[in-house]
């Protein structure tokens, strides 16, 4: 893997974000420094040693004194009317300290894996035995777990009296039918993406202790404050009585927000047992119940004139969020939510979106919600239209994508990738193992506000920065250390960073590419306030750098502390990029190997190139899994999830990793922005286009499996819809 940095030409005025107008009572914003001493320089993670030595304690490692194993009993029916849940036998078993209902004894369940009850016991085996001892009586109901089945008029209704398919949402501009009729070239197709399951290495879960009206929770979460608020409301205790801690966590992609059902069951069990309860979900439960990226069925029709200019787009999207949304409650389009029309300016377009509910687990946000399927669908048809017009797909994009930043990214990426030398007519690669190349783009919002921070300067010169944000594993501690080191003229290693606790200054959830953009300005503001106080208190006019130790010795006995908050003018929103992909396709076995990715991404003001590159690498691998491997497989006869573990639900690993070149476009005039999601968006489309270029025929659904390759080549029957 390699990284290069591409900078903007120097503007005529300072490239620093200028402070916006502030109320008269507010001090002016101190801009980011130019040039910077620490920010923008490669910095190793400050928590790296703790992680590689095992000193870092994840939520899964938490074991407070007297803790109990918590487990959830889940529905074995995809739809049923539960008439009785008898906990008595489980409650009387050795080692069992509590057994509780998830909700009422009589209820309707809507998917296999829905929570029914929970137990807490002194050993894992005792908890498993107790789960098996709970007696549940239920009357099975009709169900549906496949999108095409759920869309049929005579399909079983997931919610009685409400259709499975929502009323459509509609966006329309221009005269689509007239424009399409005048087009010199028209392409249309049905593009599909599968449900993608949330599978971080550390599963969802918490250890929760409820002692009277005092609650302490160690949670693997993307938002300690949202978990605090959820537990506070559920237990009816003041927020100030609830502390939520997330010191280290093993990943999260959008579903680890708030107090989930298993967290609430753990809290009820802790109340009943008067002891902490550790509820970390097994991998099966992770696949069933915590959330997923909705599927999509996109019927797309694009038209262009003889010169290659796009004229019209007609798109109908169906997407399934499982049992969440859809029907009348969706407000139209619930579950589809695909960002269409995407990237390109169509003077005439009509887009309809429908939600389709099924008896499967609920969906949730998943790394750039709505954008990866949009990029795959749009970019696939853009490629097909370019081929039909006899145009180079890259030149076709340059002709039709009006975004100036992406124009630059296309050109820089193509030069690094060697597009001109590599591109050939689809299917013309010689031999049974064919090579192909593809390109796709994506855009994302990002941004972030609201974070606060506190800085403590000690007389011995040490510094501690405190912020309630949590680190998903993306390097938030390092970002905090870099910003503080820049402010004080120190090195990141001289900064102690304390995060991940609701007792610290507020910070929002880590989602939507918002963490760095939210907390960096708050830390910077706190540091500037602390530095100003230090210089005023000690009389040192410039306490930074070499003067730091002498100034700190003049503080006196008590440490100096200062608070700060997010300030407008230091961060921005909107990131995106272009990915180029090269693949090898074995036309005899159908095996696809992605051999190279070149990713060009606009990054705003880059705080740390190492962690930025790491995020882009991770996004590419997430998109690679989406393109080639990840697929939830449901059994329509039983309603069961069939691929329940990493043996059968494949995610991309190191053996699948292509050669990755990352080009970071540093745009400091935009301030700090988030980069966690943009790289995943175009990966699927770029790989799909590369496969189509290699074999000369398009595979219309993700993931692109060997069976689909062979079916597209006419070597085996097409079993996609089975």
């Amino acid at each position: 893997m390699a990284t290069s940095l591409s900078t903007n030409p120097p503007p005529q005025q300072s490239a620093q974000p200028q402070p916006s107008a502030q109320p008269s009572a507010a001090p002016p914003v101190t801009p980011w420094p130019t040039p910077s001493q620490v920010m923008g320089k490669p910095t190793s993670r400050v928590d790296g040693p703790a992680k590689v030595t095992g000193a870092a304690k994840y939520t899964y490692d938490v074991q407070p004194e007297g803790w109990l194993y918590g487990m959830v009993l889940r529905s074995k029916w995809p739809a049923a009317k539960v008439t009785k849940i008898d906990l008595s036998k489980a409650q009387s078993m050795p080692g069992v300290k509590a057994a509780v209902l998830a909700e009422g004894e009589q209820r309707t369940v809507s998917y296999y894996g829905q929570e029914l009850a929970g137990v807490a016991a002194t050993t894992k085996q005792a908890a498993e035995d107790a789960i098996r001892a709970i007696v549940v009586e239920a009357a099975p109901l009709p169900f549906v777990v496949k999108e095409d089945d759920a869309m049929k008029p005579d399909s079983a209704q997931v919610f009685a009296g409400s259709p499975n398919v929502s009323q459509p949402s509609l966006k329309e501009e221009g005269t689509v039918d007239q424009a399409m009729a005048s087009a010199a070239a028209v392409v249309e197709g049905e593009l599909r993406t599968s449900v993608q399951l949330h599978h971080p290495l550390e599963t969802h879960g918490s250890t929760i202790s409820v002692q009277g009206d005092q609650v302490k929770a160690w949670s693997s979460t993307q938002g300690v404050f949202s978990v605090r608020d959820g537990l506070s409301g559920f237990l009816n205790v003041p927020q100030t009585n609830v502390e939520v801690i997330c010191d280290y966590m093993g990943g999260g992609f959008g579903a680890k927000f708030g107090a989930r059902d298993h967290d609430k069951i753990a809290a009820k069990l802790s109340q009943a047992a008067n002891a902490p309860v550790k509820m970390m979900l097994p991998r099966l439960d992770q696949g069933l119940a915590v959330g997923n990226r909705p599927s999509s069925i996109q019927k797309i029709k694009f038209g262009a004139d003889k010169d290659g200019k796009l004229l019209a787009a007609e798109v109908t999207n169906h997407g399934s969020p499982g049992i969440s949304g859809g029907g009348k409650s969706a407000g139209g389009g619930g579950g589809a939510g695909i960002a269409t029309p995407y990237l390109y300016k169509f003077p005439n377009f009509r887009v309809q979106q429908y939600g389709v509910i099924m008896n499967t687990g609920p969906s949730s946000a998943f790394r750039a919600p709505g954008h990866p399927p949009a990029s795959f669908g749009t970019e696939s048809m853009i490629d097909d239209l370019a081929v039909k017009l006899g145009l180079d797909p890259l030149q076709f994009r340059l002709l039709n994508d009006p975004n100036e930043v992406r124009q630059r990214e296309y050109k820089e990426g193509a030069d690094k990738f060697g597009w001109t030398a590599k591109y050939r007519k689809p299917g013309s690669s010689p031999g049974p193992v064919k090579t192909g190349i593809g390109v796709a783009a994506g855009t994302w919002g990002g941004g972030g506000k609201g974070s606060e921070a506190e800085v403590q300067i000690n007389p011995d010169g040490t510094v501690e920065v405190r912020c309630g944000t949590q680190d998903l594993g993306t390097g938030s501690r390092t970002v905090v250390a870099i910003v503080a080191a820049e402010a004080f003229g120190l090195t990141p290693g001289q900064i102690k960073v304390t995060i991940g606790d609701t007792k610290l200054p507020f910070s929002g959830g880590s989602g939507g590419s918002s963490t760095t953009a939210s907390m960096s300005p708050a830390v910077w503001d706190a540091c500037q306030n602390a530095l100003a106080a230090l210089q005023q208190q000690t009389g040192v006019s410039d306490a930074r750098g070499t003067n730091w130790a002498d100034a700190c010795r003049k503080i006196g006995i008590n440490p100096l502390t200062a608070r700060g908050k997010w300030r407008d003018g230091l961060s921005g929103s909107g990131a995106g990029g272009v990915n180029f992909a090269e693949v090898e396709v074995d036309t005899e076995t159908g095996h696809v190997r992605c051999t190279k990715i070149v990713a060009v991404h606009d990054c705003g003001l880059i705080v740390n190139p190492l962690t930025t590159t790491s995020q882009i690498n991770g996004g590419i691998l997430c998109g690679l899994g989406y393109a080639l491997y990840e697929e939830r497989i449901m059994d329509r006869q039983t309603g069961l999830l069939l691929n329940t573990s990493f043996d059968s639900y494949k995610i991309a690993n190191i053996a699948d990793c292509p050669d990755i070149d990352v080009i970071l476009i540093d745009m400091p005039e935009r301030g700090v922005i988030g980069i966690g999601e943009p790289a995943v968006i175009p990966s699927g489309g770029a790989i799909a286009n590369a496969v189509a270029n290699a074999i000369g025929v398009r595979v219309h659904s993700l993931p692109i499996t060997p069976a689909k390759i062979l079916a597209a080549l006419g070597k085996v029957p097409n079993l996609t819809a089975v």
Side-chain angles (χ1 to χ4, degrees):
M1 298 180 183
T3 305
S4 57
L5 186 65
S6 179
T7 57
N8 279 337
Q12 295 185 2
Q13 296 183 346
S14 170
Q16 294 305 310
Q18 299 300 309
S20 60
Q22 299 290 326
S24 58
V29 173
T30 302
W32 299 116
T34 302
S36 60
Q37 301 301 311
V38 185
M39 295 179 69
K41 310 299 189 295
T43 302
S44 297
R45 297 195 184 205
V46 297
D47 54 4
K51 289 185 174 182
V52 299
T53 61
K57 298 302 179 185
Y58 290 78
T59 301
Y60 204 97
D61 299 320
V62 172
Q63 296 182 349
E65 184 177 353
W67 69 277
L68 303 171
Y69 284 93
M71 289 190 179
V72 176
L73 174 68
R74 298 183 179 276
S75 170
K76 63 180 181 180
W77 304 277
K81 176 66 176 178
V82 177
T83 56
K84 183 180 181 181
I85 303 177
D86 187 352
L87 304 175
S88 59
K89 185 176 180 180
Q91 290 169 326
S92 64
M93 296 180 70
V96 176
K97 300 300 181 181
V100 299
L101 296 174
E103 295 182 19
E105 184 176 6
Q106 297 186 5
R107 51 182 296 208
T108 300
V109 294
S110 301
Y111 67 96
Y112 186 101
Q114 192 166 343
E115 298 85 354
L116 296 178
V119 299
T122 54
T123 67
K124 183 179 180 181
Q125 187 62 57
E128 290 176 342
D129 291 343
I131 286 291
R132 288 191 289 267
I134 297 174
V135 177
V136 181
E137 296 178 3
L141 298 171
F143 63 89
V144 60
V145 295
K146 297 278 190 177
E147 290 86 342
D148 292 291
D149 295 341
M151 292 164 62
K152 294 177 180 177
D154 59 349
S155 173
Q157 287 188 337
V158 176
F159 299 114
S162 180
N164 294 338
V165 180
S166 72
Q167 294 296 315
S169 64
L170 175 65
K171 292 193 300 183
E172 186 172 13
E173 286 187 12
T175 55
V176 175
D177 297 334
Q178 181 179 341
M180 203 72 77
S182 69
V186 175
V187 295
E188 55 185 317
E190 181 177 283
L191 289 303
R192 294 186 174 223
T193 62
S194 178
V195 168
Q196 186 179 22
L197 297 178
H198 276 273
H199 273 310
L201 289 182
E202 182 180 52
T203 61
H204 285 57
S206 301
T207 296
I208 300 179
S209 176
V210 182
Q211 300 290 322
D213 65 350
Q214 299 296 312
V215 182
K216 190 169 187 177
W218 296 263
S219 184
S220 182
T221 180
Q222 295 175 239
V224 291
F225 289 93
S226 66
V227 174
R228 179 200 66 180
D229 296 348
L231 291 176
S232 169
F234 177 70
L235 296 170
N236 195 27
V237 298
Q239 289 181 349
T240 53
N241 291 14
V242 182
E243 180 181 10
V244 179
I245 300 169
C246 182
D247 198 14
Y248 289 89
M249 67 176 295
F253 305 109
K256 286 186 175 180
F257 282 106
R260 305 296 298 268
D261 288 340
H262 53 265
D263 297 316
K264 296 174 182 178
I265 292 172
K268 291 175 70 174
L269 289 167
S270 179
Q271 279 183 317
N274 195 32
V277 173
K278 183 175 182 176
M279 181 78 75
M280 298 299 298
L281 298 188
R283 187 59 60 182
L284 171 60
D285 293 17
Q286 180 78 25
L288 290 172
V290 302
N292 53 70
R293 187 190 300 282
S295 59
S296 74
I297 303 172
Q298 307 174 56
K299 295 182 179 179
I300 302 176
K301 184 177 182 180
F302 288 167
D305 66 20
K306 62 181 178 60
D307 297 321
K309 291 294 291 183
L310 293 171
L311 291 178
E314 184 171 11
V315 183
T316 301
N317 294 326
H318 289 80
S320 179
I323 65 160
S324 54
K328 296 176 181 177
S329 64
I338 301 169
T340 306
Y342 199 61
L343 298 174
Y344 303 96
K345 176 61 177 177
F346 290 92
N348 307 280
F349 68 84
R350 179 165 58 240
V351 177
Q352 297 183 87
Q353 305 214 47
Y354 298 82
V356 182
I357 54 173
M358 308 185 297
N359 293 105
T360 57
S363 67
S364 63
F366 194 150
R367 207 166 187 177
H371 284 242
S375 180
F376 164 67
T378 296
E379 294 286 51
S380 293
M381 299 309 292
I382 286 290
D383 248 41
D384 286 357
L385 190 53
V387 170
K388 189 167 186 177
L389 286 164
L391 299 174
D392 180 313
L394 177 62
Q395 296 305 316
F396 189 55
R397 286 170 169 80
L398 290 170
L399 178 65
N400 286 289
D401 189 340
N403 185 277
E404 292 182 3
V405 176
R406 280 198 299 276
Q407 290 271 329
R408 174 183 174 183
E409 290 166 344
Y410 284 125
K411 294 172 183 176
E412 290 195 23
D415 182 62
K416 180 74 172 180
F417 185 74
W419 177 274
T420 302
K422 291 179 177 180
Y423 183 75
R424 65 180 77 194
K425 182 180 177 181
S428 62
S429 174
V433 178
K434 297 183 178 297
T435 61
I437 61 173
V439 61
T443 184
W444 183 246
K449 299 181 179 182
S451 286
E452 301 175 0
E454 182 178 67
V455 174
Q456 178 174 310
I457 302 174
N458 299 312
D460 63 359
T462 58
V463 178
E464 181 178 0
V465 182
R466 297 183 280 263
C467 180
T469 191
Q470 51 288 304
D471 189 347
L472 285 75
T474 58
S476 295
R477 281 180 173 82
T478 307
V479 168
V480 171
I482 288 171
V483 172
E486 183 70 56
F488 297 138
L490 304 175
T491 66
Q494 294 176 274
I495 310 296
K496 178 183 178 182
V497 179
T498 303
I499 63 173
D501 193 324
T502 53
K503 298 300 183 183
L504 300 173
F506 174 82
S507 187
S510 294
S513 301
S514 63
T515 307
T516 301
S518 175
M519 70 180 185
S520 294
V523 172
W524 180 254
D525 188 48
C527 289
Q528 295 302 317
N529 294 338
L531 183 62
L534 173 65
Q535 294 174 163
Q536 182 179 12
Q537 182 174 326
T538 63
V540 179
S541 60
D542 182 6
R544 300 175 72 255
T546 57
N547 298 328
W548 180 259
D550 288 340
C552 291
R553 280 192 287 267
K554 297 179 181 180
I555 291 176
I557 298 176
N558 296 319
L560 184 154
T561 62
R563 297 286 292 252
K565 61 183 180 180
W566 181 89
R567 300 288 299 277
D568 191 15
L570 296 172
S571 62
S573 63
V578 174
N579 288 3
F580 293 80
E582 186 169 10
V583 301
E584 293 176 349
V585 183
D586 189 327
T587 58
E588 294 179 346
T589 66
H591 181 262
V592 178
R593 173 170 169 73
C594 182
T595 57
K596 187 174 184 63
I597 295 282
V598 170
V600 193
H601 286 263
D602 49 288
C603 305
L605 172 62
I606 299 174
V607 179
N608 183 12
L610 283 183
T611 49
T612 301
T613 301
S614 178
Q615 281 294 282
I616 292 174
N617 288 337
I620 288 169
L621 291 178
C622 185
L624 175 71
Y626 189 54
L628 299 180
Y629 309 126
E630 296 187 51
E631 178 180 20
R632 184 185 69 181
I633 302 174
M634 303 296 298
D635 180 23
R636 60 161 42 96
Q637 301 302 320
T638 63
L640 286 162
L641 171 67
L642 297 180
N643 48 341
T644 59
S645 70
F646 287 154
D647 289 336
S648 50
Y649 185 92
K650 178 172 170 54
I651 60 174
N653 58 37
I654 194 66
D656 306 305
C657 185
D659 178 26
I660 300 176
D661 279 336
V662 176
I663 301 174
L664 306 178
I665 297 182
D666 190 22
M667 307 179 76
E669 69 278 4
R670 293 172 57 186
V672 177
I673 63 176
I675 199 67
E677 281 149 301
V680 70
I681 297 169
S683 296
I687 292 169
N689 284 338
V691 170
N693 178 250
I695 65 175
V697 61
R698 181 163 299 282
V699 176
H700 286 85
S701 66
L702 300 185
I704 301 172
T705 62
K708 292 178 184 177
I709 292 285
L710 297 177
L713 294 172
K715 296 185 176 183
V716 300
N718 187 352
L719 302 177
T720 302
V722 174

